[in-house]
Amino acid sequence: MVPAWNQLGKAYADSETVQIVDVDCTANGKNTCSRMGVQGFPTIKYFTAKTGKSGADYQGGRDYDALSSFVKKTLASGCNVKTGKDCAANEKQLIQKMKEKTLAELQDDITNKTALLKDLKKERSAAQAEMREKEKTWTRNEKKLQQGSGYSQADGKAGERWPKNRAVG
């Protein structure tokens, strides 16, 4: 695994968004490893906004291709807003459009989008509540119809149970 790890480190040596780091848990890195919950060796941890400061254990393959694929999918950010590096044409256009706006315009955009998002969440919550009520009504009506027709969902056969006080002639 060491050759693959070293190759990965070289591949991302100039990256502005990804760092490939070694920590020797048997020497000077004992405190770091203890703080990060490393118990077995070798352990690979990765850190993103989702994983937070404690990171997450990497569970994939240990060869270069598997490691590199994981880094590309999970860690490498595509577009650097400051430099424009690795940005698609539409991303560059959006960045330029945002750079042309004043701080007040950007703040207004944020305020407007926040209000729209709040309204959308409120609308969604109301629709979900309405759907729950409809589900209750449908379930209640379904039970009434099953009881009224002599259909028993438990035995799955219609007409096997006769309603009480029914004469057969």
Side-chain angles (χ1 to χ4, degrees):
M1 185 187 128
V2 172
W5 187 255
N6 290 340
Q7 185 180 359
L8 188 70
K10 287 177 185 171
Y12 286 92
D14 296 328
S15 174
E16 296 176 10
T17 58
V18 175
Q19 291 181 344
I20 307 299
V21 180
D22 291 330
V23 176
D24 184 352
C25 293
T26 62
N28 294 339
K30 282 183 181 179
N31 289 340
T32 300
C33 293
S34 176
R35 201 171 15 136
M36 293 296 132
V38 174
Q39 296 175 348
F41 310 109
T43 295
I44 299 175
K45 293 190 81 75
Y46 65 95
F47 300 84
T48 65
K50 278 186 175 180
T51 67
K53 291 180 180 182
S54 59
D57 291 342
Y58 168 74
Q59 300 295 331
R62 301 299 173 111
D63 61 282
Y64 174 77
D65 290 338
L67 291 165
S68 180
S69 176
F70 176 81
V71 170
K72 286 176 188 170
K73 289 180 190 172
T74 310
L75 304 175
S77 70
C79 176
N80 184 317
V81 176
K82 289 182 181 178
T83 65
K85 184 178 177 185
D86 297 326
C87 296
N90 64 333
E91 292 171 322
K92 288 180 181 179
Q93 288 174 346
L94 179 61
I95 291 167
Q96 187 57 41
K97 182 180 172 184
M98 293 296 134
K99 283 182 178 179
E100 292 171 0
K101 291 188 176 191
T102 66
L103 180 59
E105 290 172 324
L106 290 171
Q107 288 172 333
D108 283 346
D109 283 352
I110 291 170
T111 301
N112 292 336
K113 299 281 188 205
T114 302
L116 288 171
L117 183 59
K118 185 178 179 181
D119 290 345
L120 183 63
K121 286 181 178 181
K122 193 175 186 180
E123 181 181 339
R124 182 180 190 185
S125 179
Q128 288 172 331
E130 181 182 347
M131 187 63 179
R132 282 190 299 273
E133 286 303 314
K134 285 184 177 186
E135 286 284 345
K136 286 179 187 176
T137 301
W138 292 332
T139 301
R140 195 170 39 250
N141 289 341
E142 185 178 22
K143 285 180 182 177
K144 287 179 184 177
L145 286 170
Q146 286 174 349
Q147 289 170 350
S149 69
Y151 177 82
S152 170
Q153 195 169 7
D155 60 26
K157 297 175 186 170
E160 284 195 1
R161 293 186 313 147
W162 288 93
K164 292 181 181 177
N165 302 325
R166 182 167 180 188
V168 179

